[in-house]
């Protein structure tokens, strides 16, 4: 973290896991974004960039609050009258918690880039035979404050998303993974791909995480970072089975079963992994990594 700040790549905001990014850092992110979108497996995918906020109803339907309440961020806004405003100002002046004067809004902070895609597909009617493919990006929020620069509270996920027949979803994940591995190797990163699980909450969550791990529903591309004991998950390849399809009312032609899958690329993590691997000055990077991120 200190090195990234000292090199002028990111700047502190006074909050752990929340940083401003310099032009040089963003140039790397831009290059990665373009290179990932240029993968053959992204051809014909519809491109969308979503806001850092999403519908609270969709967030609830997708089960995020029941599975990951400790990571979620919701939005509260003030909707009171003059009297309540006076009370709010008094609380502010006396340092009393004023949040109880606000009420929850119909939006929440987006926790994963692909959540807005499923209702979009549902709104179009039955999923076509060839499935539906997306190349998307969003700022994501997760409440995991840390001084580890790889663990941010606000970060960007670029994702490929597929909705279609179960065997198509499985095949698509395999194709994403193969091409993402090649890209990571060409960028000069050292990595392995391993089964993983999401950080489900509580004891009940351990069962869900165990099943996810065992059935290899989540695979992560773990990058070795010079000077760190533990590798860092920079990409993940996920099979959701019918979870989001059921939650969002998705079905195929004649009611055929529909599954979904996504591949998530952590843009800040990938940029930081490249900086850690090849140095703070992209001009001095190996020629192939430099060419790939433009
Ligand atoms: P982790 O296990 O490290 O918490 P995750 O498995 O929950 O990550 P995913 O939900 O699979 O992450 O998200 C896809 C990608 O988004 C990750 O591979 C990573 O690159 C990035 N990402 C996830 N959480 C963070 C974070 N807190 N800070 C920065 N990038 C993140
Ligand atoms: Zn996803």
């Amino acid at each position: 973290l200190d090195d990234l700040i000292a090199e002028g790549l990111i700047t502190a905001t006074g909050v752990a896991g929340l940083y401003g990014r310099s032009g040089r850092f963003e140039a790397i992110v831009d290059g990665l974004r373009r290179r990932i979108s240029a993968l053959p497996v992204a051809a014909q995918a519809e491109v969308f960039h979503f806001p850092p906020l999403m519908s609270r109803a969709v967030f609830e339907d997708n089960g995020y609050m029941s599975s990951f309440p400790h990571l979620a961020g919701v939005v509260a806004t003030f909707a009171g009258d003059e009297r309540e405003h006076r009370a709010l100002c008094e609380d502010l002046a006396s340092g009393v918690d004023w949040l109880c004067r606000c009420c929850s809004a119909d939006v929440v902070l987006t926790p994963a880039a692909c959540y807005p895609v499923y209702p979009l597909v549902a709104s179009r009617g039955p999923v076509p035979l060839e499935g539906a493919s997306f190349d998307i990006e969003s700022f994501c929020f997760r409440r995991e404050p840390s001084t580890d620069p790889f663990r941010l509270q606000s970060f960007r996920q670029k994702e490929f998303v597929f909705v279609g027949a179960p065997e198509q979803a499985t095949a698509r994940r395999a194709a994403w993974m193969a091409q993402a591995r090649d890209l990571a190797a060409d960028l000069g990163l050292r990595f392995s791909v391993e089964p993983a699980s999401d950080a489900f909450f509580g004891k009940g969550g351990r069962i869900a995480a165990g099943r996810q791990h065992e059935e290899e529903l989540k695979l992560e591309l773990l990058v070795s970072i010079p000077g760190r004991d533990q590798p860092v998950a920079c990409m993940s390849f996920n099979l959701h089975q019918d979870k989001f399809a059921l939650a969002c009312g998705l079905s195929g032609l004649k009611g055929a079963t529909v599954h979904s899958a996504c591949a998530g690329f952590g843009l800040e993590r990938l940029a930081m992994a490249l900086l850690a691997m090849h140095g703070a000055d992209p001009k001095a990077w190996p020629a192939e990594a430099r060419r790939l991120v433009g």
Side-chain angles (χ1 to χ4, degrees), residues 142 144 150-152 155 157 198 218 220 233-236 264 266 269:
R142 293 193 191 163
E144 35 188 9
F150 286 97
R151 193 162 293 285
L152 304 173
F155 56 94
Q157 278 184 351
D198 287 310
K218 185 181 189 78
E220 282 182 336
C234 289
M235 306 177 191
S236 73
R269 278 198 188 168

Side-chain angles (χ1 to χ4, degrees), residues 243-275:
K243 180 176 179 232
F244 296 129
L246 287 180
C248 297
L250 290 167
S251 67
L253 295 167
K254 297 193 189 136
T257 300
V258 157
H259 280 193
S260 64
C262 74
F265 301 82
L267 290 175
E268 286 81 3
R269 278 198 188 168
L270 279 168
M272 288 181 193
L274 286 170
L275 289 161

Side-chain angles (χ1 to χ4, degrees), residues 13-163:
T13 65
V15 178
L18 215 55
Y19 306 99
R21 302 149 336 256
S22 73
R24 190 151 44 108
F25 189 89
E26 282 303 288
I28 301 169
V29 167
D30 265 345
L32 284 167
R33 175 186 287 131
R34 254 181 290 116
R35 184 52 55 183
I36 295 165
S37 283
L39 290 174
V41 82
Q44 271 126 43
E46 269 184 82
V47 175
F48 283 107
H49 285 220
F50 291 103
L53 298 175
M54 64 171 286
S55 149
R56 186 173 120 198
V58 173
F59 167 91
E60 288 168 3
D61 290 346
N62 283 351
Y64 197 85
M65 204 60 198
S66 43
S67 295
F68 310 103
H70 54 305
L71 298 177
V74 298
V75 175
T77 54
F78 177 75
D81 57 16
E82 297 268 341
R83 192 182 52 78
E84 285 156 332
H85 179 240
R86 273 194 300 279
L88 172 76
C89 292
E90 278 164 26
D91 285 352
L92 281 164
S94 52
V96 169
D97 185 5
W98 49 269
L99 203 58
C100 57
R101 310 249 174 230
C102 295
C103 43
S104 53
D106 57 354
V107 289
V108 296
L109 304 187
T110 304
C114 62
Y115 277 23
V117 169
Y118 311 108
L120 165 68
V121 177
S123 72
R124 292 174 174 176
V127 177
L129 280 178
E130 68 279 15
S133 301
F134 298 87
D135 169 347
I136 60 159
E137 186 177 322
S138 178
F139 259 103
C140 296
F141 171 86
R142 293 193 191 163
R143 181 66 183 160
E144 35 188 9
S146 168
T147 52
D148 178 353
F150 286 97
R151 193 162 293 285
L152 304 173
Q153 296 203 65
S154 183
F155 56 94
R156 280 159 298 177
Q157 278 184 351
K158 183 168 178 60
E159 285 202 24
F160 297 147
V161 186
F162 179 80
V163 180

Side-chain angles (χ1 to χ4, degrees), residues 31 35 186-187 274 278 281-294:
R35 184 52 55 183
D186 293 344
L187 287 168
L274 286 170
H278 301 316
D281 180 8
K283 291 200 188 75
W285 285 6
E288 182 63 355
R290 235 173 48 230
R291 186 186 69 76
L292 285 171
V293 295

